[in-house]
């Protein structure tokens, strides 16, 4: 599904998104807020801000920019901003695959329930790393394929149907991180039923060129292994 199709789908979803998905995704929003550790004056980017359900959870002492490709979603988010008086929040219509921000513009980047929606998740992840400062935090919350072979087979089988609905169901954590300039610090399963994950990452873009990479091992994991090996010397 291309960006224009995604935009149309989520413009339609905007009217009932909060009622249908609000409660289901609440544990992820709570977990992200608890793990943010945002400092006063930090600049935070939320990729795929949607209807703005997470915006009130950010400290008022930080500056938040929320981007989305759907005008319908952004319209709902703007109501949240106005109703709650969130003067530290700015909403921008922008494609995560081609952001207009300068390099190193943000201290923290949050992407909740969006990586399986974006047509080119690798390009979006590279863009997120580009606009995030070196060693900045990147929190990714998403559904990823289950380790159970039977469940994985089902997820792959229903992926074409899910794509028509606006997301894919067959993305694995290893595939997401493969080649990404990130260092995975922590991986946490979330409710309901542990079907979603929180990936707590550090932007390691300055380490990419010098870090060794093991064949067949995601770059994020290879870098973490290399760092551990270096620390043990």
């Amino acid at each position: 599904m291309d960006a224009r199709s995604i935009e149309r789908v989520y413009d339609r979803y905007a009217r009932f998104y909060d009622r249908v998905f609000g409660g289901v995704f609440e544990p992820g929003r709570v977990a992200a807020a608890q793990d943010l550790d945002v400092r006063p004056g930090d600049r935070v980017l939320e990729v795929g801000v949607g209807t703005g359900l997470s915006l009130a959870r950010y400290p008022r002492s930080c500056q938040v920019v929320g981007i989305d490709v759907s005008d319908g979603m952004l319209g709902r988010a703007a109501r949240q901003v106005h109703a709650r008086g969130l003067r530290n929040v700015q909403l921008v219509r922008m494609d995560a695959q081609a952001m207009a921000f300068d390099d190193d513009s943000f201290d923290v980047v949050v992407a909740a329930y969006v990586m399986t929606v974006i047509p080119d998740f690798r390009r979006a992840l590279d863009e997120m790393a580009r606009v995030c400062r070196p060693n900045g935090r990147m929190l990714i919350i998403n559904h990823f394929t289950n380790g159970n072979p039977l469940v994985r087979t089902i997820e792959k089988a229903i992926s074409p149907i899910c794509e028509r609905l606006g997301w894919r169901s067959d993305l694995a954590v290893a595939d997401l991180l493969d080649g990404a300039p990130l260092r995975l610090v922590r991986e946490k399963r979330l409710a309901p039923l542990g079907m979603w994950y929180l990936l707590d990452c550090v932007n390691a873009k300055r380490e990419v060129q010098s870090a060794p990479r093991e064949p067949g091992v995601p770059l994020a994991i290879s870098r973490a292994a290399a760092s551990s090996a270096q620390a043990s010397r």
Side-chain angles (χ1 to χ4, degrees):
M1 189 174 283
D2 59 28
R4 182 62 187 137
S5 299
I6 293 293
E7 180 185 343
R8 287 196 297 267
V9 166
Y10 281 87
D11 277 347
R12 291 197 297 269
Y13 284 173
R15 291 171 294 173
F16 55 82
Y17 185 91
D18 291 359
R19 293 193 302 273
V20 175
F21 298 107
V24 174
F25 294 155
E26 180 66 8
R29 290 192 293 270
V30 171
Q34 291 173 341
D35 289 3
L36 269 180
D37 190 28
V38 175
R39 300 174 182 177
D42 276 356
R43 284 179 54 80
V44 179
L45 172 66
E46 182 170 337
V47 176
V49 67
T51 60
L53 290 175
S54 299
L55 294 175
R57 295 187 179 278
Y58 296 106
R60 301 293 180 102
S61 59
C62 70
Q63 297 297 313
V64 181
V65 179
I67 67 169
D68 209 290
V69 295
S70 166
D71 286 326
M73 290 289 198
L74 287 172
R76 299 279 172 168
R79 294 182 193 178
Q80 291 267 1
V81 170
H82 177 74
R84 296 176 180 269
L86 303 177
R87 297 185 179 182
N88 63 320
V89 174
Q90 178 186 5
L91 299 173
V92 183
R93 187 183 187 282
M94 192 178 295
D95 186 349
Q97 301 167 113
M99 298 189 216
F101 304 118
D102 292 336
D103 294 359
D104 308 337
S105 292
F106 299 94
D107 302 287
V108 179
V109 176
V110 179
Y113 309 110
V114 71
M115 298 313 296
T116 46
V117 172
I118 297 172
D120 189 342
F121 65 84
R122 288 192 176 89
R123 185 175 171 188
L125 204 57
D126 284 345
E127 277 291 274
M128 288 162 57
R130 179 184 67 79
V131 303
C132 181
R133 65 170 174 80
N135 296 316
R137 294 277 305 286
M138 294 179 62
L139 293 180
I140 301 169
I141 303 168
N142 220 97
H143 167 268
F144 294 104
T145 53
N146 192 293
N148 183 298
L150 176 60
V151 175
R152 191 186 307 123
T153 299
I154 295 172
E155 287 170 334
K156 284 188 175 293
I158 65 172
S159 186
I161 299 172
C162 291
E163 286 183 14
R164 292 195 186 110
L165 297 174
W167 65 86
R168 56 182 296 188
S169 62
D170 61 347
L171 180 62
V173 171
D175 291 335
L176 176 76
L177 296 180
D178 186 25
L182 306 180
R183 183 170 68 252
L184 180 62
V185 176
R186 185 168 61 97
E187 180 180 320
K188 177 182 178 182
R189 285 198 176 199
L190 304 172
L193 305 176
M195 294 173 62
W196 284 267
Y197 294 75
L198 184 149
L199 306 180
D200 187 353
C201 303
V202 171
N203 188 0
K205 58 186 177 183
R206 284 187 178 169
E207 303 170 23
V208 172
Q209 303 215 348
S210 59
R213 184 173 182 190
E214 302 168 33
V217 178
L219 187 57
I221 298 173
S222 293
R223 278 196 300 272
S227 298
S228 298
Q230 233 176 21
S232 64
R233 286 175 188 170

